Amino acid sequence: MDELLEQLVNDCMGYTKEGRVASYIPELSKVSPDALGVYMIASDGKHYGAGDHAAHFTIQSIVKPILLLQALLDNGIEFVSARVGTEATGKPFDAINVSEQRLDSENLNPMVNMGAIVMCSLIHGDTYQDKIRRVLELTRRLAGNREIDIDEAVYASEKAYGSKNRALAYLLKSYGLLEDPVEDVLECYFQACSISVTCKDLANIGFVLANRGRTPGANERVVPAAYTQYVNAILMTCGMYNGSGDFAIRVGVPAKSGVGGGIMAVVPTRMGIGIYSPALDTKGNSVAGIQLLEKLSQQLYLSIF
Ligand code: GLN
């Protein structure tokens, strides 16, 4: 398996030239665009890795399923789904795309920024420091890594250049979808996006989602199986943003991307996979990362379809 992964890294390295690293904040534009790494944890407990799998990068949007899990643990499915919907487009079957859409919770999902910002407000905690501490703790438990922490430089950059996310949050507030003060909610969101991880961390988190809520090895329960089913379904339909349909065809497993260059893939009952390659396509997904996952899926028959 290690050989197969090495081979795939070599085969896909060239695709890093076809993307660009995220530049919406200065701190992310500093990374080297040609890195590519993969780490895999299989259901027999074996670990495999190749390429730049030990590199640290920020989790970015891959924290969205973790925010959703924490909100579910704190409030249950009924409460959460009433506040942020689960539909990929949020539009009816005969929608005319040019029309102005009303913003309501049914038209959001937890994998886009607005939905994830609402998740931050649903997570329990007396202060926003408490909330982010609980998100960090859940991330460490899912990844089986106590050392996971926030990248302070990326966090400072997110906060300083977060005008778009601020605009989204104020819009949510004006539609009555956010109860708490906007800047407090954003504090949690910016810090959550800035959690520093490796491919191995993402593979571990993906494994728990693939294994109905239990960790590899110790088989310890971190979250109820019903919540992994909820999260995986949303990852399948919304996890790669407006590239989710194409990804479902080419790779065929629930996954989440982040603009830091990570992809976490969940192969139900079989494995968790973590990818790092920071050159992104125009939708914000890792170009070489998707190529590698597509080839891996073909070789190991991973598609659930
Ligand atoms: N921090 C990023 C943002 O909020 C996360 C987006 C992403 O990873 N796609 O814009």
Side-chain angles (χ1 to χ4, degrees):
M1 186 68 80
D2 277 324
E3 264 167 51
L4 170 65
L5 294 184
E6 291 289 350
Q7 182 68 46
L8 294 181
V9 166
N10 287 334
D11 290 352
C12 296
M13 196 60 93
Y15 290 105
T16 60
K17 305 263 178 294
E18 292 182 14
R20 288 200 193 302
V21 302
S23 57
Y24 73 101
I25 56 171
E27 203 56 33
L28 282 185
S29 61
K30 292 180 187 165
V31 300
S32 152
D34 46 20
L36 176 58
V38 55
Y39 201 94
M40 179 197 283
I41 302 175
S43 55
D44 59 6
K46 293 215 172 81
H47 287 222
Y48 308 96
D52 302 302
H53 68 79
H56 280 81
F57 54 94
T58 49
I59 194 165
Q60 296 297 345
S61 279
I62 307 167
V63 81
K64 288 179 169 118
I66 302 174
L67 296 174
L68 172 58
L69 277 173
Q70 187 67 66
L72 288 169
L73 287 166
D74 291 349
N75 307 282
I77 288 176
E78 214 178 305
F79 186 94
V80 171
S81 63
R83 280 153 186 84
V84 171
T86 52
E87 300 306 333
T89 70
K91 291 181 182 150
F93 69 89
D94 58 351
I96 298 167
N97 276 331
V98 291
S99 68
E100 173 76 2
Q101 199 180 7
R102 230 192 75 77
L103 182 66
D104 59 41
S105 54
E106 273 177 52
N107 296 330
L108 299 176
N109 74 63
M111 297 304 137
V112 293
N113 288 15
M114 274 188 164
I117 290 167
V118 176
M119 288 303 139
C120 289
S121 78
L122 301 184
I123 290 167
H124 290 178
D126 286 341
T127 65
Y128 270 83
Q129 282 326 93
D130 288 340
K131 291 184 189 224
I132 187 66
R133 220 173 287 129
R134 296 185 66 236
V135 172
L136 202 50
E137 179 57 28
L138 178 61
T139 309
R140 289 172 179 158
R141 285 188 65 209
L142 288 163
N145 179 2
R146 304 294 317 162
E147 285 172 11
I148 288 180
D149 222 326
I150 290 164
D151 180 324
E152 295 295 336
V154 172
Y155 162 55
S157 212
E158 291 281 354
K159 195 171 169 165
Y161 295 88
S163 305
K164 183 78 178 280
N165 284 317
R166 261 188 202 95
L168 296 176
Y170 277 101
L171 209 53
L172 285 166
K173 184 82 177 167
S174 75
Y175 278 93
L177 298 176
L178 213 53
E179 281 181 20
D180 294 340
V182 170
E183 291 300 327
D184 289 353
V185 184
L186 284 169
E187 194 68 18
C188 178
Y189 178 73
F190 291 143
Q191 291 194 47
C193 287
S194 307
I195 293 173
S196 177
V197 290
T198 63
C199 291
K200 183 178 178 180
D201 295 327
L202 296 185
N204 268 296
I205 299 167
F207 188 97
V208 174
L209 288 169
N211 194 34
R212 301 179 63 78
R214 291 179 182 275
T215 58
N219 209 33
E220 181 209 347
R221 177 163 298 289
V222 186
V223 290
Y227 295 168
T228 63
Q229 185 174 332
Y230 189 91
V231 171
N232 290 343
I234 299 175
L235 292 182
M236 191 74 242
T237 50
C238 313
M240 305 295 284
Y241 307 112
N242 43 342
S244 298
D246 182 56
F247 187 85
I249 293 166
R250 289 168 60 192
V251 185
V253 299
K256 186 74 205 83
S257 58
V259 289
I263 302 177
M264 173 193 71
V266 178
V267 189
T269 74
R270 288 181 62 186
M271 61 182 73
I273 305 169
I275 300 265
Y276 173 58
S277 186
L280 309 175
D281 62 21
T282 51
K283 293 172 178 166
N285 296 323
S286 169
V287 182
I290 291 181
Q291 289 287 345
L292 194 152
L293 281 171
E294 182 177 13
K295 290 186 169 51
L296 189 65
S297 179
Q298 285 165 356
Q299 294 276 336
L300 303 180
Y301 302 100
L302 299 184
S303 174
I304 64 172
F305 303 107

